[in-house]
Amino acid sequence: KRVLVSLVQGNRDEGDANYEQAVQDAEDLHKAGTDRLGTDESAFNRVLCSRSTRQLKAVFQEYKKLAGEDIEDSIKSEMSGDVEDAFLAITRLVKDPQMYFAGQLHKSMKGLGTNDDKLIRLLVWRSEIDLVEIKECFKIITKGKSLEEFIDGDCSGDYKHALLALCLNLDPGLLCFVLLNMLL
């Protein structure tokens, strides 16, 4: 709950990386986690929810030098449940946003059933930002199977055609034309 409140407050600094601060943050995270008995989740919350993406990348590099392991490994070993999931999501999103979103798209369709809300939200949100790169990452995750192939096998009818149209990365006006023609 505290992680979500921190994120919703919007106190994330969006400046450039300060390497001295990155070293300090890495030390704080190490002391709060693997370097002590128990975990001080508030230190992780403070750093992961308030530092810029550039700053967090620098913190993660410094943390690996200091702790001898990746920040994700420390989070996995020190935390559990929703807090672990939230901190892992933040670190993965910072490290490689396209791979993170590709993983979320894959998760929305793998196994029985489809998480339609998640699939639609991700495709619409990322379609004009970085869907081309996400599709390449998706192929890596699925060992060569494309996002379009997954959608084709998992969805049907006009719904499937609308999702596939989003995947084509069409001009927004052309996309609206295609979707409207599907409805007529």
Side-chain angles (χ1 to χ4, degrees), residues 163-176:
L163 294 177
L164 291 173
L166 280 170
C167 289
L168 292 174
N169 203 29
L170 299 174
D171 172 81
L174 184 56
L175 178 61
C176 287

Side-chain angles (χ1 to χ4, degrees), residues 34 39 44 63 69-81 83-85 87-89 91-92 95:
T34 55
T39 305
F44 280 83
Y63 186 89
E69 69 178 348
D70 190 82
I71 187 76
E72 284 187 48
D73 296 327
S74 294
I75 291 169
K76 288 177 191 173
S77 68
E78 293 293 321
M79 298 176 195
S80 62
V83 171
E84 176 186 9
D85 292 342
F87 288 152
L88 285 174
T91 57
R92 290 172 181 160
K95 286 180 178 182

Side-chain angles (χ1 to χ4, degrees), residues 8-23:
V8 170
Q9 286 177 339
N11 291 330
R12 186 176 298 279
D13 175 26
E14 292 303 327
D16 288 330
N18 174 330
Y19 292 99
E20 292 165 3
Q21 183 65 51
V23 170

Side-chain angles (χ1 to χ4, degrees), residues 33-60:
T34 55
D35 200 32
R36 64 178 278 181
L37 187 60
T39 305
D40 178 7
E41 293 172 359
S42 66
F44 280 83
N45 189 42
R46 180 178 44 77
V47 173
L48 294 178
C49 296
S50 66
R51 303 296 189 253
S52 72
T53 300
R54 290 183 194 104
Q55 182 69 22
L56 286 174
K57 286 180 180 185
V59 171
F60 297 161

Side-chain angles (χ1 to χ4, degrees), residues 63-179:
Y63 186 89
K64 189 165 190 162
K65 288 180 197 173
L66 177 68
E69 69 178 348
D70 190 82
I71 187 76
E72 284 187 48
D73 296 327
S74 294
I75 291 169
K76 288 177 191 173
S77 68
E78 293 293 321
M79 298 176 195
S80 62
D82 292 339
V83 171
E84 176 186 9
D85 292 342
F87 288 152
L88 285 174
I90 293 168
T91 57
R92 290 172 181 160
L93 186 58
V94 166
K95 286 180 178 182
D96 191 341
Q98 290 78 25
M99 189 61 78
Y100 173 77
F101 289 121
Q104 293 301 305
L105 282 167
H106 182 250
K107 200 183 284 188
S108 76
M109 292 183 283
K110 79 176 188 181
L112 293 174
T114 301
N115 183 336
D116 295 311
D117 290 342
K118 186 175 198 173
L119 178 59
I120 293 166
R121 183 176 56 250
L122 287 168
L123 283 178
V124 170
W125 179 26
R126 305 312 295 184
S127 66
E128 294 183 31
I129 301 170
D130 57 358
L131 189 57
V132 172
E133 294 86 359
I134 290 169
K135 287 169 36 177
E136 290 304 313
C137 293
F138 190 90
K139 280 185 181 177
I140 294 168
I141 291 171
T142 60
K143 298 178 179 23
K145 196 168 182 183
S146 72
L147 176 59
E148 292 86 351
E149 289 173 297
F150 250 82
I151 290 170
D152 189 51
D154 228 44
C155 305
S156 62
D158 288 341
Y159 172 61
K160 173 176 80 172
H161 294 111
L163 294 177
L164 291 173
L166 280 170
C167 289
L168 292 174
N169 203 29
L170 299 174
D171 172 81
L174 184 56
L175 178 61
C176 287
F177 177 76
V178 169
L179 294 175

